[in-house]
Amino acid sequence: MKVTPSDLLALEVRISAKTYFVRFWDAPSGKNAGFRSESACLTESKGIHEVLEWAKEKCNGREFEVFAEGPALVTQSPDGMHMQKSAVRIYGENPTDREGIEIHSVRVSKSEQ
């Protein structure tokens, strides 16, 4: 590990999450088995510390990731404009992909807006 000085303020992205997502990972249990996951959406929490405490209590030894809901994204497609929710991983790793930062987006239909 190499440590160098950093201007954190130059890199800062603020996400005021009110919604968190937790994904628990079950390790493969057989020769040809793959990872399985179970997800939960947490709202009305007091913040990330409460979310992490809940996830640690519920993980039963499984690995888990925590995502914070990010800003809405708007995309253009041939059938019109679409609003997408985004989520940024803020804790843990996906055991099926140990590289990089993962940003997820989910299409929201007009009836869900």
Side-chain angles (χ1 to χ4, degrees):
M1 175 170 66
K2 181 178 179 181
V3 179
T4 57
S6 172
D7 181 6
L8 183 59
L9 294 178
L11 302 172
E12 185 174 7
V13 175
R14 292 182 185 260
I15 297 176
S16 299
K18 296 183 189 232
T19 301
Y20 295 89
F21 305 95
V22 178
R23 181 165 46 189
F24 298 100
W25 287 98
D26 290 308
S29 59
K31 182 178 179 182
N32 296 319
F35 280 92
R36 292 181 333 168
S37 66
E38 173 188 353
S39 299
C41 176
L42 287 76
T43 58
E44 301 180 18
S45 74
K46 295 176 186 165
I48 186 59
H49 297 294
E50 183 179 28
V51 171
L52 286 171
E53 184 178 308
W54 178 87
K56 288 176 183 175
E57 288 175 8
K58 301 294 181 190
C59 73
N60 295 322
R62 299 177 289 180
E63 290 187 61
F64 65 89
E65 303 171 274
V66 177
F67 298 84
E69 183 176 58
L73 307 172
V74 178
T75 59
Q76 177 77 36
S77 70
D79 60 334
M81 300 282 281
H82 299 279
M83 188 172 95
Q84 295 181 317
K85 292 183 179 182
S86 66
V88 178
R89 183 175 50 212
I90 57 175
Y91 181 88
E93 294 180 342
N94 178 332
T96 67
D97 178 22
R98 299 281 186 186
E99 296 181 15
I101 294 174
E102 193 171 320
I103 298 176
H104 292 269
S105 64
V106 178
R107 178 180 264 185
V108 179
S109 68
K110 289 182 182 178
S111 63
E112 295 176 285
Q113 295 180 13

